[in-house]
Amino acid sequence: MTYDLVIGARRAIVDGAERSCDLGIRDGQIAAIVEYGTLDLAIELGTDVVLLPGLVDTHVHVNEPGRTEWEGFATATRAAAAGGVTTIVDMPLNSIPPTVDVAALEAKQAAARDQAYVDVGFWGGAVPGNVASLKPLHDAGVFGFKCFLLHSGVDEFPPLDAAGVEAAMRELATFDGLLIVHAEDASTIDHAPVPDGRSYAAFLASRPPEAEDRAIARVIELARTTGCRVHILHLSSASALPMIAAARANGVRITAETCPHYLTFAAEEIPDGATQYKCCPPIRTAANREALWQGLAEGTIDGIGSDHSPCPPAMKRLDTGDFGAAWGGIASLQLGLPAIWTGARARGFALADVVRWLAVRPAEVAGFRRKGRIALGYDADLCAFGVEESLVVEAARLLHKHPITPYDGRRLAGRVQRTWLRGMEISESDERPHGRFLARGDA
């Protein structure tokens, strides 16, 4: 049997465990996984390099078309590949038009065509008045539908009220669609202190954990009533974990994700005026951070998505440090793997755990059938990760559009050395993108 590429790995994460193996790749897929040293090798990885499946980041704001000055497909997917991410799913908002009907999806695909260095799927949006567009978007291949329960930050993607959420869930339940939710309660935040000025403590008080907890409780009840599948995005409030676990035990079809920044940073460490840390929901306390790690360990939190949401530098208000005025979004698409490995290793987790959180479970929740694992028949999306190396983040050298990130200057464990998409190595010098559009049911 012949192969297009053979990789020999003394260390690889296969079937949830580390082992040595040779991989035979043919026609872009993994065709053989055999004992190390069995095949004639084209590439042999070193002893301090672990071969991982390409990561799957299902929470990326690319913003093109319409706000390409914030981020675009070429820069976002180059950054993804440099971070070992071989599949992204693009969020429906911040682009203009937002992905709330089939015409908007086609506009986004037209903008992304011939620019993607990794494979790209798309979420649709659930907004007031578009219930009739949900099934056509589903049939067009979106992986699910995002909604907000409060102002999204952009006027063209308005939130759903309680009746709107229920109507969307009832419609999605008819074809087993997935609703992914930015779960913060608008009324709770309306009654919280207004964020103003440079104080991070004041900003944190303006987005209390109760806002998340109340919103998640409402989503759980509606999911119980309608039978709709739901997914909680960017969970930052660890106090919501018991209700998520209880709901799942009682048959509610609910999953949840958190983000690298909630697992890395702590409110006590964020200086006043450091608006590069602003995100919504906010980064909470160190104790809350440790409870989120425990939620991952217990499986209540399924996986991790970057929530990569960059903007032009002026919108972060670094000059004034005003948390009330700054855009809330963190750029970290390229850094998720070393950031999570840094925290996981310090807490006694294995690299197989990291792969589960960053590849296996995100792929499963979104519905990918050939992504997120080193397994026969899966796409040969791979990442060579130097586990014993380290890097000091230099924002100016990252590949996303604007050199702003709270990770700037931070030392992280591990370094992505090489990335392959369907058996083709991606390098920073590549001028020909090979990423494909992915559709639900086909990927």
CSV table of all heavy atoms in Angstrom, one decimal, residues 265-298:
chain,number,residue,atom,x,y,z
A,265,PHE,N,-6.2,34.0,33.1
A,265,PHE,CA,-6.0,35.3,33.8
A,265,PHE,C,-7.0,35.3,35.0
A,265,PHE,O,-7.9,34.4,35.2
A,265,PHE,CB,-6.4,36.4,32.9
A,265,PHE,CG,-5.5,36.5,31.7
A,265,PHE,CD1,-6.1,36.3,30.4
A,265,PHE,CD2,-4.1,36.7,31.8
A,265,PHE,CE1,-5.3,36.3,29.3
A,265,PHE,CE2,-3.3,36.7,30.6
A,265,PHE,CZ,-3.9,36.5,29.4
A,266,ALA,N,-6.8,36.2,35.9
A,266,ALA,CA,-7.6,36.4,37.1
A,266,ALA,C,-7.8,37.9,37.3
A,266,ALA,O,-6.9,38.7,37.1
A,266,ALA,CB,-7.0,35.8,38.3
A,267,ALA,N,-9.0,38.2,37.8
A,267,ALA,CA,-9.4,39.6,38.0
A,267,ALA,C,-8.4,40.4,38.9
A,267,ALA,O,-8.1,41.5,38.6
A,267,ALA,CB,-10.8,39.7,38.5
A,268,GLU,N,-7.9,39.7,39.9
A,268,GLU,CA,-7.0,40.3,40.9
A,268,GLU,C,-5.7,40.8,40.2
A,268,GLU,O,-5.0,41.6,40.8
A,268,GLU,CB,-6.7,39.3,42.0
A,268,GLU,CG,-7.9,38.9,42.8
A,268,GLU,CD,-8.5,37.6,42.3
A,268,GLU,OE1,-8.4,37.3,41.1
A,268,GLU,OE2,-9.2,36.9,43.1
A,269,GLU,N,-5.4,40.2,39.1
A,269,GLU,CA,-4.1,40.5,38.4
A,269,GLU,C,-4.2,41.6,37.3
A,269,GLU,O,-3.2,42.0,36.7
A,269,GLU,CB,-3.5,39.2,37.8
A,269,GLU,CG,-3.3,38.1,38.9
A,269,GLU,CD,-3.2,36.7,38.2
A,269,GLU,OE1,-3.2,36.7,36.9
A,269,GLU,OE2,-3.0,35.7,38.9
A,270,ILE,N,-5.4,42.0,37.0
A,270,ILE,CA,-5.6,42.9,35.8
A,270,ILE,C,-5.5,44.3,36.3
A,270,ILE,O,-6.2,44.8,37.1
A,270,ILE,CB,-7.0,42.6,35.2
A,270,ILE,CG1,-7.1,41.2,34.6
A,270,ILE,CG2,-7.2,43.7,34.1
A,270,ILE,CD1,-8.4,40.8,34.1
A,271,PRO,N,-4.5,45.1,35.7
A,271,PRO,CA,-4.3,46.4,36.2
A,271,PRO,C,-5.5,47.3,35.7
A,271,PRO,O,-6.1,47.1,34.7
A,271,PRO,CB,-3.0,46.9,35.5
A,271,PRO,CG,-2.4,45.6,35.0
A,271,PRO,CD,-3.5,44.6,34.7
A,272,ASP,N,-5.8,48.4,36.4
A,272,ASP,CA,-6.7,49.4,36.0
A,272,ASP,C,-6.2,50.0,34.6
A,272,ASP,O,-5.0,50.1,34.4
A,272,ASP,CB,-6.8,50.5,37.0
A,272,ASP,CG,-7.6,50.0,38.2
A,272,ASP,OD1,-8.3,49.0,38.1
A,272,ASP,OD2,-7.6,50.7,39.2
A,273,GLY,N,-7.1,50.2,33.8
A,273,GLY,CA,-6.8,50.8,32.5
A,273,GLY,C,-6.3,49.8,31.4
A,273,GLY,O,-6.1,50.2,30.3
A,274,ALA,N,-6.2,48.5,31.8
A,274,ALA,CA,-5.6,47.5,30.8
A,274,ALA,C,-6.8,46.9,30.0
A,274,ALA,O,-7.2,45.8,30.2
A,274,ALA,CB,-4.9,46.4,31.6
A,275,THR,N,-7.3,47.7,29.1
A,275,THR,CA,-8.5,47.3,28.4
A,275,THR,C,-8.3,46.2,27.4
A,275,THR,O,-9.2,45.7,26.8
A,275,THR,CB,-9.1,48.6,27.6
A,275,THR,OG1,-8.0,49.2,26.8
A,275,THR,CG2,-9.6,49.6,28.6
A,276,GLN,N,-7.0,45.8,27.2
A,276,GLN,CA,-6.8,44.6,26.3
A,276,GLN,C,-7.4,43.4,27.0
A,276,GLN,O,-7.6,42.3,26.3
A,276,GLN,CB,-5.3,44.4,26.1
A,276,GLN,CG,-4.4,44.1,27.3
A,276,GLN,CD,-3.9,45.4,27.9
A,276,GLN,OE1,-4.5,46.5,27.9
A,276,GLN,NE2,-2.6,45.3,28.4
A,277,TYR,N,-7.7,43.4,28.3
A,277,TYR,CA,-8.3,42.3,29.0
A,277,TYR,C,-9.8,42.3,28.9
A,277,TYR,O,-10.5,41.4,29.4
A,277,TYR,CB,-7.9,42.3,30.4
A,277,TYR,CG,-6.4,41.9,30.7
A,277,TYR,CD1,-5.5,42.9,30.7
A,277,TYR,CD2,-6.1,40.6,31.0
A,277,TYR,CE1,-4.1,42.6,31.0
A,277,TYR,CE2,-4.7,40.3,31.2
A,277,TYR,CZ,-3.8,41.3,31.2
A,277,TYR,OH,-2.5,41.0,31.5
A,278,LYS,N,-10.4,43.4,28.4
A,278,LYS,CA,-11.9,43.5,28.4
A,278,LYS,C,-12.5,42.5,27.5
A,278,LYS,O,-12.2,42.4,26.3
A,278,LYS,CB,-12.4,44.9,28.0
A,278,LYS,CG,-13.9,45.0,28.1
A,278,LYS,CD,-14.4,46.4,27.7
A,278,LYS,CE,-16.0,46.3,27.7
A,278,LYS,NZ,-16.5,47.7,27.4
A,279,CYS,N,-13.5,41.7,28.0
A,279,CYS,CA,-14.3,40.8,27.3
A,279,CYS,C,-15.6,40.6,28.0
A,279,CYS,O,-15.7,41.0,29.2
A,279,CYS,CB,-13.6,39.4,27.1
A,279,CYS,SG,-13.1,38.6,28.6
A,280,CYS,N,-16.6,40.1,27.3
A,280,CYS,CA,-17.9,40.0,27.9
A,280,CYS,C,-18.5,38.6,27.6
A,280,CYS,O,-18.6,38.2,26.4
A,280,CYS,CB,-18.9,41.0,27.4
A,280,CYS,SG,-18.4,42.7,27.7
A,281,PRO,N,-18.8,37.8,28.7
A,281,PRO,CA,-18.6,38.0,30.1
A,281,PRO,C,-17.1,38.3,30.5
A,281,PRO,O,-16.2,38.0,29.7
A,281,PRO,CB,-19.1,36.8,30.8
A,281,PRO,CG,-19.9,36.0,29.7
A,281,PRO,CD,-19.3,36.4,28.4
A,282,PRO,N,-16.9,38.9,31.7
A,282,PRO,CA,-15.6,39.3,32.0
A,282,PRO,C,-14.7,38.2,32.6
A,282,PRO,O,-15.2,37.1,33.0
A,282,PRO,CB,-15.8,40.4,33.1
A,282,PRO,CG,-17.1,40.0,33.7
A,282,PRO,CD,-17.9,39.3,32.6
A,283,ILE,N,-13.4,38.4,32.7
A,283,ILE,CA,-12.5,37.5,33.4
A,283,ILE,C,-12.8,37.8,34.9
A,283,ILE,O,-12.8,38.9,35.4
A,283,ILE,CB,-11.1,37.9,33.1
A,283,ILE,CG1,-10.8,37.6,31.6
A,283,ILE,CG2,-10.1,37.2,33.9
A,283,ILE,CD1,-9.6,38.3,31.0
A,284,ARG,N,-13.0,36.7,35.6
A,284,ARG,CA,-13.4,36.8,37.0
A,284,ARG,C,-12.3,36.4,37.9
A,284,ARG,O,-11.1,36.4,37.5
A,284,ARG,CB,-14.7,35.9,37.3
A,284,ARG,CG,-15.8,36.3,36.3
A,284,ARG,CD,-17.2,35.7,36.8
A,284,ARG,NE,-18.2,36.0,35.8
A,284,ARG,CZ,-18.9,37.1,35.7
A,284,ARG,NH1,-18.6,38.1,36.5
A,284,ARG,NH2,-19.8,37.2,34.7
A,285,THR,N,-12.6,36.0,39.2
A,285,THR,CA,-11.5,35.9,40.2
A,285,THR,C,-10.7,34.6,40.0
A,285,THR,O,-11.1,33.7,39.3
A,285,THR,CB,-12.2,35.8,41.6
A,285,THR,OG1,-13.0,34.6,41.6
A,285,THR,CG2,-13.0,37.1,41.8
A,286,ALA,N,-9.6,34.5,40.7
A,286,ALA,CA,-8.8,33.3,40.7
A,286,ALA,C,-9.5,32.1,41.2
A,286,ALA,O,-9.4,31.0,40.6
A,286,ALA,CB,-7.5,33.6,41.5
A,287,ALA,N,-10.3,32.3,42.2
A,287,ALA,CA,-11.1,31.2,42.7
A,287,ALA,C,-12.1,30.7,41.7
A,287,ALA,O,-12.3,29.4,41.5
A,287,ALA,CB,-11.8,31.6,44.0
A,288,ASN,N,-12.7,31.6,41.0
A,288,ASN,CA,-13.6,31.2,39.9
A,288,ASN,C,-12.9,30.5,38.8
A,288,ASN,O,-13.4,29.5,38.2
A,288,ASN,CB,-14.3,32.5,39.4
A,288,ASN,CG,-15.3,32.2,38.3
A,288,ASN,OD1,-16.4,31.9,38.5
A,288,ASN,ND2,-14.8,32.3,37.0
A,289,ARG,N,-11.7,31.0,38.5
A,289,ARG,CA,-10.9,30.3,37.4
A,289,ARG,C,-10.6,28.8,37.8
A,289,ARG,O,-10.7,27.9,37.0
A,289,ARG,CB,-9.5,31.0,37.3
A,289,ARG,CG,-8.6,30.4,36.3
A,289,ARG,CD,-7.2,31.1,36.3
A,289,ARG,NE,-6.6,31.1,37.6
A,289,ARG,CZ,-5.6,31.8,38.0
A,289,ARG,NH1,-5.1,32.8,37.1
A,289,ARG,NH2,-5.0,31.7,39.2
A,290,GLU,N,-10.2,28.6,39.1
A,290,GLU,CA,-9.9,27.2,39.5
A,290,GLU,C,-11.2,26.3,39.4
A,290,GLU,O,-11.1,25.2,39.1
A,290,GLU,CB,-9.3,27.2,40.9
A,290,GLU,CG,-8.0,27.9,41.0
A,290,GLU,CD,-7.0,27.5,39.8
A,290,GLU,OE1,-6.8,26.3,39.7
A,290,GLU,OE2,-6.5,28.5,39.2
A,291,ALA,N,-12.3,26.9,39.7
A,291,ALA,CA,-13.6,26.2,39.6
A,291,ALA,C,-13.9,25.8,38.1
A,291,ALA,O,-14.5,24.8,37.8
A,291,ALA,CB,-14.7,27.0,40.2
A,292,LEU,N,-13.6,26.7,37.2
A,292,LEU,CA,-13.7,26.4,35.8
A,292,LEU,C,-12.8,25.2,35.4
A,292,LEU,O,-13.3,24.3,34.6
A,292,LEU,CB,-13.4,27.6,34.9
A,292,LEU,CG,-14.4,28.8,35.0
A,292,LEU,CD1,-13.9,29.9,34.2
A,292,LEU,CD2,-15.8,28.4,34.6
A,293,TRP,N,-11.6,25.2,35.8
A,293,TRP,CA,-10.7,24.0,35.6
A,293,TRP,C,-11.4,22.8,36.1
A,293,TRP,O,-11.3,21.7,35.5
A,293,TRP,CB,-9.3,24.3,36.2
A,293,TRP,CG,-8.4,25.1,35.4
A,293,TRP,CD1,-8.1,26.4,35.6
A,293,TRP,CD2,-7.7,24.7,34.2
A,293,TRP,NE1,-7.2,26.9,34.6
A,293,TRP,CE2,-7.0,25.8,33.7
A,293,TRP,CE3,-7.6,23.5,33.5
A,293,TRP,CZ2,-6.2,25.8,32.6
A,293,TRP,CZ3,-6.8,23.5,32.3
A,293,TRP,CH2,-6.1,24.6,31.9
A,294,GLN,N,-12.0,22.8,37.3
A,294,GLN,CA,-12.6,21.7,37.9
A,294,GLN,C,-13.8,21.2,37.0
A,294,GLN,O,-14.1,20.1,36.8
A,294,GLN,CB,-13.1,22.0,39.3
A,294,GLN,CG,-13.6,20.8,40.0
A,294,GLN,CD,-12.6,19.6,40.2
A,294,GLN,OE1,-11.4,19.9,40.3
A,294,GLN,NE2,-13.1,18.4,40.2
A,295,GLY,N,-14.5,22.2,36.5
A,295,GLY,CA,-15.6,21.9,35.6
A,295,GLY,C,-15.2,21.2,34.3
A,295,GLY,O,-15.9,20.3,33.8
A,296,LEU,N,-14.0,21.5,33.8
A,296,LEU,CA,-13.4,20.8,32.7
A,296,LEU,C,-13.1,19.4,33.1
A,296,LEU,O,-13.3,18.4,32.4
A,296,LEU,CB,-12.2,21.5,32.2
A,296,LEU,CG,-12.4,22.7,31.3
A,296,LEU,CD1,-11.1,23.5,31.2
A,296,LEU,CD2,-12.9,22.3,29.9
A,297,ALA,N,-12.4,19.3,34.3
A,297,ALA,CA,-12.0,17.9,34.8
A,297,ALA,C,-13.2,17.0,34.9
A,297,ALA,O,-13.1,15.8,34.6
A,297,ALA,CB,-11.3,18.1,36.1
A,298,GLU,N,-14.3,17.5,35.4
A,298,GLU,CA,-15.5,16.7,35.6
A,298,GLU,C,-16.4,16.5,34.4
A,298,GLU,O,-17.3,15.7,34.4
A,298,GLU,CB,-16.4,17.4,36.7
A,298,GLU,CG,-15.7,17.4,38.1
A,298,GLU,CD,-16.4,18.3,39.1
A,298,GLU,OE1,-17.4,18.9,38.7
A,298,GLU,OE2,-16.0,18.3,40.3
